[in-house]
């Protein structure tokens, strides 16, 4: 996942040109108000495919269709009005449906074609009991949610990666690092745990004994001391920067 905006287009385009063979595919997620037509036009050496709907819900469904949800997969249900739970769920290697107050007819039709196994990520403040009841009418529903984003993050990690060899840490208070880090966590077979510059007590027993991991982002967001504390490393243990 590459994040871009008007002032970053030149750098992002240069990265694509350096790392993707001409004729390769670049997927642009979202409409032209999100990623401009000018940016897409500048990728003339590649097969550019825009995946977009009329709003975030429509774009979400188009991405799921493009990715090809298989009949046996569980569907993760996350709020569309906050980012934390979706970040935590992004390493689970499962499709994520974004929801708000109620399921649209298009969402209901899509879910009717799936396994009928739904896992809500987050508490009722994120995904309401009313929406849970709508899902229950379509299949089997489970909720994985804690009292805050940190606890939910750890519960999601325990649910989908019960015995990890390593852990990826991402900043809990904004989305860019975690959004980019989700595919890395998936590739490493590791969970993504949200934190910031305090020790997430919820992760204590889960990461006990794990001494390998990745911290996404700079030290102003997640300090080396916090990383050492989470991974139970010595105070002078080196943390490699890339």
């Amino acid at each position: 996942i590459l994040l871009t905006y008007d002032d970053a287009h030149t750098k992002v385009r240069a990265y694509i040109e350096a790392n993707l063979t001409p004729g390769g595919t670049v997927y642009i997620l979202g409409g032209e108000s999100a990623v401009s037509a000018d940016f897409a036009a500048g990728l003339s050496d590649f097969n550019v495919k825009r995946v977009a709907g009329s709003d975030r819900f429509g774009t979400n469904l188009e991405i799921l269709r493009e990715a090809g949800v298989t009949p046996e997969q569980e569907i993760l249900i996350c709020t569309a009005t906050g980012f934390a739970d979706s970040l935590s769920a992004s390493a689970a290697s499962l499709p994520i449906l974004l929801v708000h107050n109620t399921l649209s007819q298009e969402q209901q039709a899509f879910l009717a074609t799936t396994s009928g196994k739904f896992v809500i990520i987050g508490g009722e403040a994120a995904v309401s009991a009313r929406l849970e009841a709508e899902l229950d009418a379509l299949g089997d529903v489970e909720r994985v949610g804690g009292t805050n984003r940190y606890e939910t993050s750890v519960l999601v990690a325990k649910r989908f990666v019960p015995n990890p060899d390593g852990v990826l840490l991402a900043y809990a208070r904004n989305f860019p690092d975690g959004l980019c880090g989700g595919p890395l966590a998936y590739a490493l077979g590791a969970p993504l745990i949200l934190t910031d510059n305090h020790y997430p007590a919820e992760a204590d027993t889960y990461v006990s004994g794990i001494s390998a991991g990745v911290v996404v982002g700079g030290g102003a967001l997640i300090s080396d001391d916090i990383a050492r504390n989470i991974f139970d490393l010595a105070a002078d243990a080196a943390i490699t920067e890339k």
Side-chain angles (χ1 to χ4, degrees):
I1 295 177
L2 299 176
L3 303 183
T4 191
Y5 63 101
D6 289 346
D7 292 342
H9 285 344
T10 299
K11 291 182 179 179
V12 173
R13 189 178 294 114
Y15 179 89
I16 294 171
E17 291 171 347
N19 290 277
L20 185 63
T21 302
T25 301
V26 177
Y27 293 91
I28 296 179
L29 307 183
E32 293 182 4
S33 61
V35 180
S36 70
D38 287 343
F39 175 74
L43 297 171
S44 57
D45 289 340
F46 306 98
N47 173 31
V48 178
K49 185 168 187 177
R50 187 183 292 273
V51 183
S54 60
D55 56 19
R56 67 186 65 187
F57 304 101
T59 295
N60 176 216
L61 285 173
E62 292 302 324
I63 291 170
L64 292 176
R65 292 178 180 122
E66 181 68 28
V69 177
T70 58
E72 71 277 5
Q73 287 180 303
E74 296 175 304
I75 308 295
L76 308 185
I77 309 296
C78 297
T79 178
T81 60
F83 60 83
D85 295 340
S86 295
L87 295 186
S88 297
S90 65
S93 184
L94 289 169
I96 297 173
L97 183 74
L98 301 179
V99 299
H100 189 28
N101 293 324
T102 188
L103 294 173
S104 69
Q105 290 184 346
E106 190 178 12
Q107 287 175 323
Q108 291 180 34
F110 171 79
L111 292 176
T113 68
T114 69
S115 66
K117 298 177 181 178
F118 312 124
V119 183
I120 296 172
I121 307 300
E124 291 185 3
V127 179
S128 69
R130 172 188 171 185
L131 200 142
E132 182 175 357
E134 293 181 24
L135 291 168
D136 192 55
L138 297 171
D140 298 324
V141 184
E142 173 188 353
R143 185 185 290 270
V144 179
T147 57
N148 55 45
R149 65 187 62 193
Y150 308 100
E151 185 178 357
T152 293
S153 179
V154 175
L155 290 174
V156 170
K158 290 179 177 178
R159 168 64 168 78
F160 296 105
V161 193
N163 298 297
D165 294 322
V167 170
L168 188 142
L169 304 179
Y171 187 57
R173 293 292 176 182
N174 61 29
F175 68 87
D177 292 343
L179 180 61
C180 297
L184 175 60
Y186 163 67
L188 296 174
L192 187 152
I193 291 181
L194 300 180
T195 187
D196 47 35
N197 275 334
H198 76 274
Y199 182 78
E202 298 86 1
D204 193 16
T205 57
Y206 180 69
V207 300
S208 178
I210 297 174
S211 59
V214 176
V215 182
V216 180
L221 301 180
I222 301 175
S223 70
D224 286 355
D225 286 342
I226 291 297
R228 292 187 186 99
N229 197 358
I230 291 172
F231 291 116
D232 197 24
L233 301 176
D236 59 351
I239 294 180
T240 304
E241 287 195 11
K242 291 187 178 181

